[in-house]
Amino acid sequence: MVDFRDRAVKIRDTILMPLTEAVLFLSFEVRALRYLGFQSFIRYKAGISGRAISGLRIFYTSTYFMIKAESADKELALDVLSRSFVDNQSVNFIVRQDKKKTQRIRTLMDYSFELCQHFGEAWLSDDRKACALVLYPHKKHMSLFAIWLDVKLIVRAIGLSGIRKTLSREALVKKLQPKEEKAYLWFIGVDPEHQHRGTGSKLMKDVIANANRNDLPIYLETSTLKNLPWYENLGFQVYGRLDLGYTLYFLKREPDKQ
């Protein structure tokens, strides 16, 4: 007699499982092509070494993509972050408060984006509605480019009258931050029209996964009290507070044990 059970197992192992894997792989390739563009996708598949390929890398989880933002994505990233932080206490503490406030906030985001591209990473969600800027302070070094960015930030965002206040704030922040290698999550924001849909949480989980791969703790600060439970649900713990006329909360997340 024919053993139908054995035949079913054989069909599953030789046909159905390889077919399923092929469909999943093709789905991944199509999405990568869509978000990278044809030329970047070809370079990615060709395995170009160095900065070119590292800038094209896509991190994939079972349900989400995280795309490394390139220079061509900067305006989109600035749109998302500027809109997300327009009423943020910490941001508005730094930038000059006048009729150009919106543009000054955008200048701050531009400054942060450029630094993270050179000494960290800038990420977009796969739908490009969220952005995260991650800085690696241990990789940052003094350069003419960094000095030029500082000058532009002072002139276009902080203003001469705000230099002393900003430097004092930064000194207090650095005093509380532990001196260890870290992934510093400078900004993470979702376009206001697409908030409360899980986009920020998905992007944050990918940021966490990337820090885990690098075996680095994540540090961040927030002045938004209502966001603390969200961070805590994602494994962050408050390790400090600073009174600046508003309360700035310091949070840390240790890398997951492998």
Side-chain angles (χ1 to χ4, degrees):
M1 292 181 63
V2 176
D3 190 334
F4 289 101
R5 183 175 179 180
D6 289 344
R7 179 174 293 182
V9 170
K10 186 175 181 179
I11 292 174
R12 182 198 67 187
D13 292 343
T14 60
I15 300 176
L16 294 182
M17 290 186 68
L19 181 61
T20 300
E21 291 175 356
V23 170
L24 289 174
F25 176 77
L26 180 61
S27 175
F28 174 82
E29 297 289 278
V30 168
R31 295 186 74 182
L33 175 60
R34 175 185 173 189
Y35 289 109
L36 283 174
F38 179 75
Q39 291 184 347
S40 295
F41 178 78
I42 294 300
R43 291 199 300 271
Y44 169 69
K45 296 302 291 182
I48 298 174
S49 62
R51 181 175 173 80
I53 189 60
S54 67
L56 297 172
R57 187 174 302 152
I58 291 180
F59 287 94
Y60 174 71
T61 66
S62 60
T63 58
Y64 211 69
F65 279 95
M66 180 171 75
I67 307 167
K68 182 168 284 189
E70 298 293 335
S71 296
D73 301 308
K74 185 170 81 167
E75 293 305 313
L76 171 64
L78 300 188
D79 285 343
V80 170
L81 294 173
S82 298
R83 285 161 56 85
S84 302
F85 286 88
V86 67
D87 295 319
N88 182 269
Q89 294 183 87
S90 189
V91 166
N92 283 290
F93 180 88
I94 294 172
V95 303
R96 185 176 177 181
Q97 300 297 294
D98 57 16
K99 63 182 181 180
K100 296 182 180 179
K101 186 187 84 167
T102 301
Q103 184 57 44
R104 297 187 192 284
I105 291 175
R106 190 178 184 86
T107 298
L108 173 62
M109 299 307 169
D110 189 313
Y111 170 83
S112 306
F113 184 93
E114 291 290 345
L115 277 184
C116 288
Q117 275 220 309
H118 283 78
F119 307 116
E121 294 159 334
W123 299 106
L124 292 171
S125 59
D126 69 335
D127 60 2
R128 300 177 183 267
K129 303 301 183 184
C131 180
L133 300 183
V134 180
L135 183 71
Y136 299 122
H138 54 283
K139 294 184 178 182
K140 186 180 177 183
H141 57 81
M142 186 64 66
S143 67
L144 290 176
F145 176 74
I147 293 173
W148 169 238
L149 288 179
D150 289 342
V151 171
K152 285 202 304 180
L153 181 67
I154 292 170
V155 173
R156 299 180 182 179
I158 297 173
L160 296 177
S161 62
I163 295 177
R164 182 176 180 181
K165 178 179 70 172
T166 301
L167 290 177
S168 176
R169 176 192 182 278
E170 291 307 300
L172 292 171
V173 168
K174 290 184 181 297
K175 187 176 180 180
L176 277 175
Q177 291 176 338
K179 303 298 187 291
E180 64 173 325
E181 292 190 358
K182 63 177 76 69
Y184 178 65
L185 182 55
W186 202 343
F187 291 106
I188 181 168
V190 181
D191 187 288
E193 294 181 1
H194 296 82
Q195 292 178 358
H196 310 297
R197 301 180 187 179
T199 303
S201 295
K202 291 175 181 178
L203 179 57
M204 177 66 94
K205 288 175 181 177
D206 281 353
V207 170
I208 291 171
N210 189 42
N212 285 337
R213 277 188 283 267
N214 294 321
D215 196 30
L216 290 173
I218 302 175
Y219 284 82
L220 62 89
E221 291 94 44
T222 182
S223 57
T224 308
L225 180 61
K226 67 179 181 180
N227 285 350
L228 288 182
W230 180 72
Y231 285 116
E232 290 169 347
N233 287 338
L234 289 164
F236 288 86
Q237 294 181 331
V238 175
Y239 71 89
R241 294 174 177 81
L242 187 61
D243 183 6
L244 295 166
Y246 64 91
T247 302
L248 187 64
Y249 298 90
F250 292 70
L251 294 97
K252 176 183 179 180
R253 189 187 193 281
E254 295 286 357
D256 295 332
K257 296 181 179 179
Q258 302 299 323

